[in-house]
Amino acid sequence: MSTFGTLFRVTTYGESHCASVGAIIDGCPPGLELSAKDIQIQLSRRRPGQSDLTTPRDEKDLVQLQSGLEMGVTLGTPIGLLVKNEDQRPHDYSETDLYPRPSHADWTYLEKYGIKASSGGGRSSARETIGRVAAGAIAEKYLKLAYGIEIVAFVSSVGKIHLPSTALPSLTPGNLDEEDDTAQDALSKDFVNLLSTITREDVDKYLTRCPHPETSEKMTQRILRAKSAHDSIGGTVTCVIRNVPSGLGEPVFDKFEASLAHAMLSIPATKAFEVGSGFKGTEVPGSQHNDPFVRDDSGRLRTTTNWSGGIQGGITNGEHIYFRIGFKSPATISQAQETAQYDGTPGSLATRGRHDPCVVPRAVPIVEAMAAIVVMDQLLIQNSRKTAASLLPPITTLPPTMVIPKKGE
Ligand SMILES: Cc1cc2nc3c(=O)[nH]c(=O)nc-3n(C[C@H](O)[C@H](O)[C@H](O)COP(=O)(O)O)c2cc1C
């Protein structure tokens, strides 16, 4: 369906070429100072037409707040917002009246609904993600003010070009000794340092949104090569969430990583998700993969490593949460492809229109938004549980093994 979340509920609406796209956000706490500018920053990072590396469809994507706040302060009531579709050119897509685009959603939407939007991707278009990005910006503002939570995503690969500190050498067949149990560099100091320090300003220095000059330049050339060959290329986005309190996540079906996976794999063009050590962790023995505990200066338990990606038992443990999402090469390409028309007639399709040769630079704010929505929702759920429990009279008869020891005990 078009709604995500339990207590922080986001419903998006809109198709690629309708009058507007947007969202209703229910569950935003009252008393949050909020302006269109807070939302616009992220929408502008997502918008098309940003550079040669993205689709030339030219949309300013200016947000209009419709409800849920007065005098710049949220009322606790549903926030409605919209962005007008302005640069629609439905006629660009006339050949897709005849052909379902291979690996796009034209055929499956038709099979499912028995009817589909007459042009563009309809609801499957990335225009739909505008509502999510706006909702995420609202969640993020609350999370930052109330908890100091920071969310930063960045491009970690395009095609076979990887940001060095996130490269996974052991996933390249043939370059690993099968008997070698050493942990390699999946949690290299560089990577840990990157997760702790990276900012959106670092990321936005590069059109690719890969925060490493040489790698970014190689990625740029790779995307431009795909574009000039009328082709496309995929990539990955890595995201870190810092300062998340421990205790978020709802065992068993709404474990924190399950909610993250749900959120991330609902973004168009996603094909893969891994959290913490991910697939790489399967190659590392438990003796190296376990995150040992240590007491910090405040007496709190922390872990000395973070292969878990900040989540254990589906519950956040207070360490950085980090995860990676794989985005496929976009389906719409202007290179001729042998395929079949809706009626089964074989033919050749070379799609006109304006398309992203690679989606990852624009996917960065979408990933950040979905991460913010997940954290916000899980936080409101945990806070409601804690509030309910705090109203009960204290129980003094429990054995010490059942409760958190007091500091110093
Ligand atoms: C930011 C962004 C931009 C996208 N731009 C395009 C595009 O220009 N052309 C295209 O074919 N797909 C594009 N996509 C992906 C399609 O929306 C998606 O592949 C399509 O709906 C099919 O769904 P699926 O890939 O999730 O199966 C984009 C996705 C994102 C996240």
Side-chain angles (χ1 to χ4, degrees):
M1 305 300 281
S2 289
T3 301
F4 185 88
T6 304
L7 293 187
F8 188 79
R9 277 175 93 76
V10 179
T11 302
T12 71
Y13 76 89
E15 289 92 37
S16 50
H17 293 144
C18 67
S20 69
V21 291
I24 304 272
I25 298 115
D26 209 352
C28 180
L32 174 70
E33 281 188 314
L34 185 71
S35 69
K37 199 173 155 212
D38 294 319
I39 299 167
Q40 194 59 50
I41 293 170
Q42 284 295 77
L43 286 180
S44 298
R45 294 177 83 219
R46 193 222 72 98
R47 81 174 186 85
Q50 292 179 43
S51 75
D52 279 357
L53 305 183
T54 64
T55 171
R57 179 171 173 164
D58 188 18
E59 297 279 3
K60 298 287 172 275
D61 286 351
L62 296 179
V63 68
Q64 296 176 20
L65 286 162
Q66 303 290 300
S67 67
L69 62 169
E70 256 182 55
M71 315 273 291
V73 177
T74 59
L75 299 169
T77 52
I79 299 172
L81 53 87
L82 65 84
V83 162
K84 287 198 174 135
N85 280 332
E86 290 185 330
D87 190 15
Q88 303 131 296
R89 292 191 212 160
H91 54 272
D92 270 3
Y93 298 90
S94 54
E95 66 276 3
T96 55
D97 292 348
L98 293 177
Y99 288 90
R101 284 168 295 173
S103 292
H104 211 288
D106 307 331
W107 171 242
T108 48
Y109 264 63
L110 194 57
E111 282 289 283
K112 181 173 183 63
Y113 295 106
I115 184 170
K116 69 169 186 61
S118 62
S119 62
R123 185 82 179 131
S124 77
S125 159
R127 300 286 300 152
E128 179 275 332
T129 64
I130 284 176
R132 306 163 182 238
V133 170
I138 296 171
E140 224 183 341
K141 175 128 198 216
Y142 175 85
L143 295 173
K144 178 91 186 162
L145 287 173
Y147 290 88
I149 291 173
E150 298 170 332
I151 303 173
V152 184
F154 54 91
V155 169
S156 40
S157 70
V158 166
K160 292 178 183 163
I161 302 161
H162 289 259
L163 178 64
S165 57
T166 59
L168 300 175
S170 65
L171 292 184
T172 311
N175 75 346
L176 181 72
D177 174 359
E178 285 171 21
E179 304 297 319
D180 180 4
D181 271 350
T182 53
Q184 306 254 338
D185 64 348
L187 270 191
S188 70
K189 284 206 176 77
D190 282 353
F191 184 53
V192 174
N193 189 37
L194 185 77
L195 294 182
S196 301
T197 57
I198 188 143
T199 64
R200 287 192 187 162
E201 290 69 39
D202 299 333
V203 174
D204 283 354
K205 280 182 196 149
Y206 306 94
L207 293 178
T208 57
R209 297 217 160 91
C210 172
H212 185 265
E214 291 86 36
T215 314
S216 175
E217 180 51 31
K218 283 187 200 161
M219 288 176 176
T220 301
Q221 296 313 321
R222 181 66 191 89
I223 297 171
L224 292 177
R225 182 154 66 85
K227 190 177 170 184
S228 62
H230 305 286
D231 210 338
S232 65
I233 190 70
T236 62
V237 172
T238 297
C239 183
V240 60
I241 317 177
R242 298 187 287 248
N243 304 329
V244 177
S246 54
L248 308 193
E250 297 297 306
V252 292
F253 294 114
D254 295 328
K255 288 177 176 176
F256 200 89
E257 69 261 65
S259 295
L260 273 182
H262 181 181
M264 297 305 151
L265 292 176
S266 74
I267 301 173
T270 51
K271 282 290 175 204
F273 173 82
E274 64 176 12
V275 60
S277 58
F279 289 103
K280 172 83 182 181
T282 63
E283 299 174 0
V284 179
S287 53
Q288 293 184 54
H289 189 266
N290 288 345
D291 296 319
F293 288 107
V294 66
R295 209 161 118 153
D296 72 9
D297 294 342
S298 69
R300 213 188 117 69
L301 279 188
R302 301 283 310 272
T303 62
T304 56
T305 54
N306 186 16
W307 293 90
S308 307
I311 306 166
Q312 290 164 339
I315 301 171
T316 58
N317 66 358
E319 305 299 328
H320 297 336
I321 296 166
Y322 64 94
F323 52 91
R324 199 162 70 114
I325 306 112
F327 288 85
K328 74 183 191 188
S329 308
T332 315
I333 52 174
S334 48
Q335 194 180 107
Q337 295 174 90
E338 295 308 308
T339 179
Q341 298 183 3
Y342 282 102
D343 67 5
T345 311
S348 175
L349 171 66
T351 318
R352 285 173 295 138
R354 298 153 297 164
H355 308 291
D356 289 287
C358 179
V359 306
V360 286
R362 293 182 57 212
V364 161
I366 307 172
V367 167
E368 289 168 344
M370 291 311 292
I373 293 168
V374 169
V375 179
M376 184 75 186
D377 197 37
Q378 298 277 12
L379 198 87
L380 293 183
I381 294 170
Q382 175 65 355
N383 282 351
S384 75
R385 173 185 287 111
K386 274 168 60 178
T387 304
S390 72
L391 299 174
L392 293 169
I395 299 174
T396 52
T397 52
L398 292 176
T401 49
M402 281 184 69
V403 291
I404 295 180
K406 291 199 182 72
K407 275 178 199 163
E409 274 180 14

